Amino acid sequence: MLDPATAQHLLKENFAPWVQALQPEITEIGPDQAVLEIPVRPEIARMGGIVCGQALATLADTAMVFACAGRLGRFEPVATTNLETRFLSAARGEAVRCTARVIKAGRAMIFAEATLIRLPDAATVAAASATFYLPS
């Protein structure tokens, strides 16, 4: 079973520098869900301090990868085969929190979904779903 500190180390060892540039922090990981947060910073915001969609989609994808790891009980490389992100409201404030969970896991395919909220007011800013291929 993974804990947040181990998962954070795996993120640093296995993810691209541009993902790490978002400064994601894994605050929870387990068989039911993974929770990641990123700070809202000028480097990922556009006019008006709104976090860009690319950063939100990257956060959602990364959180769902860790939801897969939490479900599996270990980190396994998975390939994103489909990612759909729905932007619902402006992501601004102090941070964005993404809660991801696996909705179905098969032998080769894993289906996940994520909800992103802005902090501190906890308004939902985006939702995402993805399909991952688990190489055998």
Side-chain angles (χ1 to χ4, degrees), residues 32 67 71 100-106 110-114 128-130:
D32 297 324
R71 173 64 70 89
R101 66 184 188 93
V102 171
I103 55 175
K104 181 175 179 6
I110 301 173
F111 302 88
E113 62 186 15
S129 59

Side-chain angles (χ1 to χ4, degrees), residues 24-121:
E25 180 185 353
I26 301 171
T27 61
E28 181 182 336
I29 187 165
D32 297 324
Q33 65 183 21
V35 180
L36 280 70
E37 290 185 17
I38 60 170
V40 174
R41 299 176 296 114
E43 296 85 0
I44 63 168
R46 55 190 184 101
M47 291 186 338
I50 299 169
V51 177
C52 69
Q54 295 93 333
L56 297 176
T58 299
L59 173 60
D61 184 60
T62 304
M64 288 186 281
V65 167
F66 279 98
C68 293
R71 173 64 70 89
L72 295 168
R74 65 192 183 284
F75 183 78
E76 291 284 338
V78 294
T80 306
T81 63
N82 174 278
L83 174 64
E84 179 185 356
T85 308
R86 296 165 301 284
F87 302 105
L88 306 172
S89 67
R92 57 168 64 106
E94 297 172 11
V96 177
R97 176 182 297 149
C98 182
T99 302
R101 66 184 188 93
V102 171
I103 55 175
K104 181 175 179 6
R107 287 181 305 188
M109 302 299 283
I110 301 173
F111 302 88
E113 62 186 15
T115 303
L116 294 85
I117 64 169
R118 65 183 179 217
L119 299 175
D121 71 356

